[in-house]
Amino acid sequence: MDEETPPYDETPRVELTPAAADLLRRLRAAHGPLMFHQSGGCCDGSAPMCYPEGEFRTGGSDVLLAELHVEGVEEPVTFWMARSQYAVWSHTRLIVDVVEGRGSGFSLEAPEGVRFLTRSRVVGA
């Protein structure tokens, strides 16, 4: 594990609000296994985008931050972030929430009239 990859034995780097977990259950029922990718670029800024697992191609420029276990969802929902974005956010815990209104990206929840949103909290605070 290199210094840019988060250790998995510490406090989770990503968590879900109950509203986000509910939405993931609905999306999983409609679309199958899911994944998140959070870049820092276009399409709603740094909002996490939810895709069918494997639809967004990840590579060496991405970091797997978490495998989120959601009650009622058979497999973990992976949460990836662009390595350059992680370098800036590495001191925070990310909290995935849901808010009303459509985002401007390609995330699966867009037709639901809501969008995922990442809130952050400094680790240890």
Side-chain angles (χ1 to χ4, degrees):
M1 183 179 322
D2 64 42
E3 63 190 46
E4 295 184 57
T5 303
Y8 288 99
D9 58 301
E10 65 179 44
T11 303
R13 291 289 184 182
V14 183
E15 63 186 67
L16 300 168
T17 64
D22 286 344
L23 181 55
L24 284 172
R25 282 188 279 277
R26 292 195 319 265
L27 293 173
R28 169 56 174 92
H31 302 283
L34 304 170
M35 68 180 290
F36 279 107
H37 187 272
Q38 181 156 339
S39 66
C42 73
C43 304
D44 242 2
S46 61
M49 299 290 160
C50 184
Y51 302 100
E53 179 67 43
E55 186 171 298
F56 186 94
R57 295 188 70 155
T58 58
S61 62
D62 299 297
V63 176
L64 176 61
L65 289 185
E67 292 183 350
L68 302 167
H69 296 276
V70 181
E71 186 176 332
V73 174
E74 188 174 325
E75 63 286 313
V77 177
T78 56
F79 191 100
W80 295 85
M81 180 178 277
R83 188 173 296 276
S84 60
Q85 175 108 350
Y86 176 70
V88 175
W89 286 30
S90 62
H91 65 285
T92 64
R93 174 179 292 169
L94 305 177
I95 303 151
V96 179
D97 200 0
V98 176
V99 294
E100 295 290 321
R102 284 187 57 138
S104 61
F106 305 102
S107 196
L108 288 174
E109 80 280 2
E112 305 281 325
V114 295
R115 64 187 179 104
F116 287 109
L117 176 75
T118 300
R119 303 176 192 283
S120 63
R121 182 174 52 213
V122 174
V123 175

